[in-house]
Amino acid sequence: MRLRMLDHTADVGFEVEAGSLPALFEGAAKGLLEVMFEGPLEAEPGDEHRPRLEAESLETLLVRWLDELAYLVQTRGEVPLEAEVSLDRTPAGWRLEARLATAPFDRVADRFASEVKAATYHGLEIKQTGDRYRARVILDV
């Protein structure tokens, strides 16, 4: 997986590249956490969450995924330290199921850097080139 942060005039963005779609979504979760927190998050996981999301397109699913993670951190006070994602095609589009190992926010609060309002559709893209997938994401901070 390769992750590169992007400069953007009003928001914060990143690009992530991976060898599979699940790895791409896992990398996007790491990109979101790099925006929200400074430095590595070193805490013992204490809880597990299993979000299930559906969308008509991969791009919409990625936005919903990142918004779900931001909500988990900022509203529920749980920080996803590890993400294991599975993706499946459905008749209506795509389904994501994930296993998140989380830690309470207070264990990493000293590293909190920025609130994320939402993932946006501005500049959003997911592309496949050969056996690699790449996504570009802009976050509203």
Side-chain angles (χ1 to χ4, degrees):
M1 180 197 71
R2 191 180 85 195
L3 177 67
R4 180 172 67 97
M5 302 309 285
L6 300 173
D7 289 327
H8 192 268
T9 55
D11 300 316
V12 175
F14 61 85
E15 287 182 347
V16 61
E17 184 180 318
S20 70
L21 283 171
L24 186 76
F25 277 66
E26 292 164 3
K30 290 179 182 180
L32 175 73
L33 291 175
E34 282 196 27
V35 170
M36 297 179 79
F37 294 90
E38 294 176 347
L41 297 177
E42 297 176 5
E44 287 295 317
D47 204 357
E48 185 173 285
H49 294 275
R50 293 190 173 264
R52 299 177 84 178
L53 306 168
E54 293 190 17
E56 61 281 355
S57 71
L58 281 173
E59 290 80 7
T60 299
L61 190 60
L62 183 57
V63 167
R64 288 183 181 165
W65 167 241
L66 295 173
D67 286 348
E68 176 74 15
L69 297 175
Y71 168 81
L72 189 64
V73 172
Q74 295 169 174
T75 303
R76 303 230 3 230
E78 291 289 326
V79 179
L81 302 174
E82 300 169 15
E84 192 175 297
V85 173
S86 67
L87 294 170
D88 295 301
R89 297 245 340 133
T90 68
W94 291 88
R95 177 185 309 117
L96 176 149
E97 294 183 13
R99 184 194 64 77
L100 300 173
T102 65
F105 180 81
D106 62 355
R107 292 187 189 166
V108 294
D110 61 324
R111 296 203 171 275
F112 188 68
S114 177
E115 189 171 304
V116 171
K117 296 176 190 171
T120 72
Y121 289 93
H122 175 74
L124 177 67
E125 64 181 5
I126 297 176
K127 288 187 177 182
Q128 181 180 6
T129 304
D131 62 349
R132 304 292 294 173
Y133 294 88
R134 185 176 60 82
R136 175 179 285 223
V137 176
I138 304 295
L139 302 171
D140 183 10
V141 294

